[in-house]
Amino acid sequence: KKLAARNEVVTRTMALSRAVLVALLCTLSADAIRTKPKQMDAHKCKIMCQRFGMKALGEEFKDIKDPTTCVAQCDKVYSSTSVSTDSQMAPSFSEKPSAGEKPQPSKR
């Protein structure tokens, strides 16, 4: 009888331990979904949108269901923190060379 009672206690303790572990993991994963990524810019945000990662982008994106709306939201949320824009990445060329300057041939 003592062995049966001990087995029952061990079984209940293990079940309780599993329940606590599951609750802890669910809480941690829910927090991970709700928090905004730290190293995010507009470009990375748009990539997440195309991969349907709206929930991982934070509170501003929690109700968005489609990538097009998500991309537009990225422009609103990360507009001032964007690392680079198309105009910053494009090389600058003058329309015509200066008066005494010869045009440089293109490298191919």
Side-chain angles (χ1 to χ4, degrees):
K1 288 184 177 185
K2 287 184 180 181
L3 185 60
R6 185 169 184 232
N7 284 341
E8 187 177 332
V9 170
V10 170
T11 304
R12 286 184 183 178
T13 304
M14 288 179 65
L16 180 61
S17 297
R18 280 190 219 125
V20 169
L21 181 62
V22 168
L24 180 63
L25 290 174
C26 289
T27 303
L28 292 175
S29 65
D31 286 341
I33 290 172
R34 285 189 216 118
T35 58
K36 193 176 192 178
K38 292 178 181 123
Q39 299 291 328
M40 185 63 64
D41 60 19
H43 178 72
K44 290 178 184 176
C45 178
K46 291 174 184 179
I47 291 172
M48 289 290 290
C49 289
Q50 295 301 322
R51 295 178 180 164
F52 290 87
M54 293 80 160
K55 289 182 182 178
L57 290 170
E59 287 294 315
E60 297 96 342
F61 298 86
K62 69 178 181 179
D63 296 326
I64 297 175
K65 303 292 185 214
D66 65 289
T68 305
T69 307
C70 183
V71 166
Q73 184 70 8
C74 287
D75 289 333
K76 292 176 188 173
V77 173
Y78 296 104
S79 62
S80 63
T81 61
S82 178
V83 174
S84 62
T85 61
D86 290 339
S87 63
Q88 290 172 334
M89 292 176 67
S92 59
F93 297 105
S94 60
E95 292 292 321
K96 296 180 184 177
S98 306
E101 189 178 332
K102 291 183 180 179
Q104 297 294 320
S106 62
K107 297 178 184 177
R108 292 191 187 226

